[in-house]
Amino acid sequence: MKNASEQMQILQILYEIAMSIGSSLDLNQMLKASLSTLLKKLNCSAGGIHLIKEARGRVSFEQVYSIPRNTGRNETYQLALQNLPPILAKKELVNFFQRLPLSGQSDQGNYFHILELPDLGVLIVVKMGQDLDPLIVKSLHPLQKKLAEACKACLTKEALARSERRFRQVVSSISDHVYMTEFTGEGEQINRYIAPNAETLTGYPLEKFRNDWSFWPTTVIHPDDQALAAVQVERFAQGQNSEIEYRLVRANGNIIWVRDSGRVEKDEDQQRWTVYGVVSDITERKQVEQTLKESEKKFRTLAETIGSAIFIYSDQQCLYANPAAEEMTGYSRMELLKMDFWKLVHPDFQEMIKESDLISLHSKKSSSRYEIKFLQKDDQERWGELATRGIDFEGQSAELVTVFDVTKRKQAEEALSMAYQKAVEASRMKTDLLANVSHDLRTPLNAIFGYTEMMQEGVYGPLSGRQQEAIKKIIGSTGQLLNFVNNLLDQAQIDSGQVVLKTLPFAPADLVEGVTSIMGLLARTKGLKLISHIDPALPPTILGDPYWLRQILANLVSNAIKFTEKGQVHINLARLNEVYWSFEVSDTGPGIPPDVQAFIFEPYQQEDTFTSRGSGGSGLGLSIVKHLTELMGGKIDLNSEVGKGTTLTVALLLFSEEETNEE
Amino acid sequence: MIIKFDSTGTVAGLKKALAEVLEHKESQGILILACDANNFTPENLNQTLQGVSVPLFGAIFPGIIHQKQKLTQGTIIVGLPVVPNVQVIPGLSDISVDYEAIIDEKIPRLDRAKTMFVWVDGLSNRISALVDSLFNIFGLEINYIGGGAGSLSFRQKPCLITNQGLLQDSAVLALLNMASGVGVNHGWESIRGPFKVTEVDRNVIKTLDWKPAFEVYGEVVQESSGQRFTADNFFDLAKGYPFGINKLGAEKIVRIPIMLGEQGELVCLGELPEDSYVDILSGDVASLIDAAGKARLSAQAAFAARSPDQTIFFIDCISRVLFLEKEFNRELEAVFKERAAMIGVLTLGEIANSGQAYLEFYNKTAVVGILAD
């Protein structure tokens, strides 16, 4: 038990230590004064403050101050440090603090004490020679608490200072202008702070604002917007937050747009409040908005006047429909905005649209086009060409759907299609009729032709000169008619698809011989030379349909003779190459004008000057030739010059019997 | 260690002794201890000091000790067997100076230094701040020994000896790779207290227990001594009644009132913290002499006989001399040791570290250093 004097001395010392704690709000200064006094008064040789450092849920003790500064050479201090956990989970901290105070002794007989700084860390003191009295150690507890509180105050101040520094840095680094104005319930306005950025924003020196607080509202704010700004100040004066946009006239005369946003913080007594305001340059945004407005106006004008229906959907909800959409569907715009898209689509097309993901409304950026049927309000069906495209509409993903009413075009197409079907049918009936008629005509014609020839040959008795003349004309006309009927029959066969080609071996020479023997008489009659030539390179026998080939050649030769008044008709069979052979018929006739050449191969076409009446042709010859040639896989080529003559060349695939056998 | 004593106290005598010391190859640094009565001034001494080619440090004191003699005139020149690292810390009264920063810059490392001499202008008023800074940086890694230089006239003047010349209001630090042991004791006992230092400006106590300081102090001293303070006898009476600052389990730190201010404030040697408690102390011849002997024993124990050749460096407060008067020789006897050289100084405040506790700026204290030769 200590005597009264000793107890008094202890109390005095503790008091002196206590008075030294918290003498400064600078952590280092405070710790220096406190720890120095503590160590001196307790006659200790070293001491240190270790604060809890937390990271990721784990804590350690960080030495923030010590006397002497380098405790690394103090063996007893190092021994004390060994009793501090290097790192531990935050939840274990309570257990560690419960073990404090910790004391220990070094081999040299020096002592250490680890004392708690509540919620903050520990204080280590080293005493050499003689240990601290346990009563003293116990008595230090209030000082430990005071020291902890003083440290916290310093740390808080440091944190505040850091925060303020950061705030100032932020304020000075941002382009926005910041101000702070205080209002009182009595309507008094005290401008507390104006950031240096005001200079950058307005181009005026900062002193202008600091020396004259009315400079901003009366000079810098655009005259047209000063009334608006005054309303804002009135709101602030009433303790209300306010955000407005107005124009500023910069020192150089340029006008900029700003957003002035003020937030009110009221004191606890509600009698005084501070407005923290930020003035941001929004000129660029305003310009963009203006551009967008103009762009939107153009779009709206276009959308409102265009003939196509325009819908904008988002999540199957119609966000926009134009007047054309109203007209096209029969629904009002309000009805369309509330309607499900699928109600507009004809049931027959819904599946197709869904399958094709056409109206997925998933904002695909690629566009798609389809023709669909849609339903009007009165259930009338209409055809529309529908196109979709993903767009951003008022900040959300949407689908732009345009529908162009193609009902009339569709109706025209349908009418045309029906007309075509009818025409095809009529053509087929005509072909059938022609085939039947031709067949029915040819049978009696053959009889007439045969009997007339027999009469000419005197089978039924001798004929007078006049009779001979008449018979000759009958035979000529009958032959002409028979030829015409045969052509009609061939054309009918071709048109009705009844021609079946055969592949038979034949000698090209026979082909030429067969035609010249028939056509030679006709040529001689007109005083023309009919000359033929066969290319020796042509195989003696080739494969093909000799009947139809003879028809082709005969047609060509017949036409050539028909249209040639003088000169010659030349038949030339040639081997063009390893793949093709050809027969060529040239005449010295009037030639075919270029405009006629374009349709010379169409059925029933003849050049006016060489009408069937004039030339005695049916107008079917070249059409038949072309059809047959193409059926055989060949092609026909026309080369004609008015006044010089015409050459028609039929080129056909060469299949010789020998080559086929070889294969 | 080469020790020369010039009893003339003249610049010429110093020069002669200095030359003799420097003749010894062993002398790698010089320590000069001079008496205030020598009247050394920058004008008459700087040229000599600036001409010395080895590191040099020292100070001028009210008195010096050579063997068992207290001297008020003369100069001791010591040739040190090691090269001292001498650094000057200026501005010892300047409140704006950060001593830790200066020491950090000038002494980044202790290297192999074991002992630091610390001479300060004893009339500077931030001595405690310097002492705290030294301990904050170096702690117990080194032995400190030193004290306040100056004049008993209590008029501040150049009193620190360096290669630059004489300096004032500064401190001179000299680090030596030389083993030492230090003992500290004073023998003053409390006669009244505690009194709370309610107002203080560093070393000037304005109020004690919210009363004018002199009112409180004078009452106790006059009652205890049976004498009255007059306009002229303040220090004569006060030297026997210093203040003692409490320290747990250790001797009180003594502060001597050296002057009385016009407003009744007490000007002390050394600072006192505000809100500290002080006692008024008194001592008798026996306790003081006993304390000096204990200091020597402590120093001896701390030195631990590391070297058979030793020099005793006795730093004793001038106020003890004034208090002990004729009995002071007994204090010298108590500290002196046969077969050991003894030199010393009579200081305005003492700086020492006992080796186990906080470094302090003492008053009225006997500090004994034992240095290896």
Side-chain angles (χ1 to χ4, degrees), chain B residues 124 188 224:
Chain B
S124 295
W188 297 89
S224 174

Side-chain angles (χ1 to χ4, degrees), chain A residues 12 15-16 41 69 73, chain B residues 136 141 194 196 246 248 277:
Chain A
Q12 285 167 16
Y15 173 80
E16 288 177 46
K41 289 292 169 187
R69 204 187 296 163
R73 298 190 183 205
Chain B
N136 282 351
E141 288 180 61
K196 188 174 178 185
N246 277 332
L248 197 72
Y277 283 94

Side-chain angles (χ1 to χ4, degrees), chain A residues 12-28:
Chain A
Q12 285 167 16
I13 284 170
L14 294 176
Y15 173 80
E16 288 177 46
I17 298 170
M19 291 310 289
S20 70
I21 295 172
S23 54
S24 167
L25 273 178
D26 176 90
L27 185 66
N28 263 356

Side-chain angles (χ1 to χ4, degrees), chain A residues 8-10 12-13 15-16 19 32 36 39-45 65 67-70 73 128-129 132 136, chain B residues 100 104 132 135-141 194 196 245-250 252 275-277 355-358 360:
Chain A
M8 176 64 82
Q9 192 191 23
I10 290 171
Q12 285 167 16
I13 284 170
Y15 173 80
E16 288 177 46
M19 291 310 289
K32 183 177 178 178
S36 167
L39 297 180
K40 278 183 187 179
K41 289 292 169 187
L42 299 182
N43 206 25
C44 290
S45 59
Y65 196 82
I67 295 176
R69 204 187 296 163
N70 183 2
R73 298 190 183 205
M128 294 177 80
L132 286 171
I136 300 288
Chain B
E100 283 191 37
D104 269 335
D132 283 350
F135 191 75
N136 282 351
I137 296 172
F138 303 118
L140 296 176
E141 288 180 61
K196 188 174 178 185
I245 304 169
N246 277 332
K247 203 171 173 181
L248 197 72
K252 289 179 170 56
D275 291 322
S276 61
Y277 283 94
Q356 291 192 329
Y358 214 91
E360 290 280 8

Side-chain angles (χ1 to χ4, degrees), chain A residues 494-616:
Chain A
I494 291 165
D495 287 349
S496 61
Q498 292 175 3
V499 174
V500 178
L501 293 173
K502 295 173 182 172
T503 304
L504 299 168
F506 70 93
D510 290 347
L511 176 66
V512 174
E513 177 60 31
V515 172
T516 52
S517 65
I518 298 167
M519 296 295 165
L521 180 62
L522 191 59
R524 281 194 300 276
T525 307
K526 289 187 74 174
L528 301 173
K529 287 183 181 174
L530 181 61
I531 304 163
S532 63
H533 175 260
I534 298 172
D535 184 357
L538 206 59
T541 305
I542 56 177
L543 295 174
D545 190 324
Y547 170 77
W548 286 109
L549 281 170
R550 190 160 54 240
Q551 288 296 99
I552 291 169
L553 186 58
N555 255 307
L556 294 179
V557 173
S558 167
N559 275 344
I561 292 169
K562 203 184 298 173
F563 293 111
T564 304
E565 294 305 319
K566 60 177 183 181
Q568 60 185 30
V569 172
H570 191 270
I571 302 167
N572 183 30
L573 270 63
R575 178 170 186 157
L576 296 177
N577 48 43
E578 292 301 311
V579 183
Y580 285 97
W581 70 286
S582 69
F583 50 87
E584 187 179 275
V585 178
S586 306
D587 63 47
T588 54
I592 305 165
D595 55 331
V596 178
Q597 288 180 23
F599 52 85
I600 196 79
F601 292 107
E602 296 297 317
Y604 314 106
Q605 294 291 339
Q606 277 187 351
E607 211 264 330
D608 284 346
T609 49
F610 303 105
T611 60
S612 57
R613 286 187 303 275
S615 61

Side-chain angles (χ1 to χ4, degrees), chain A residues 253-272:
Chain A
N254 286 349
I255 293 172
I256 59 169
W257 273 95
V258 295
R259 184 185 55 244
D260 187 338
S261 175
R263 191 171 54 81
V264 173
E265 291 281 335
K266 290 195 174 180
D267 286 0
E268 283 181 5
D269 61 3
Q270 305 282 309
Q271 292 302 308
R272 188 177 280 271

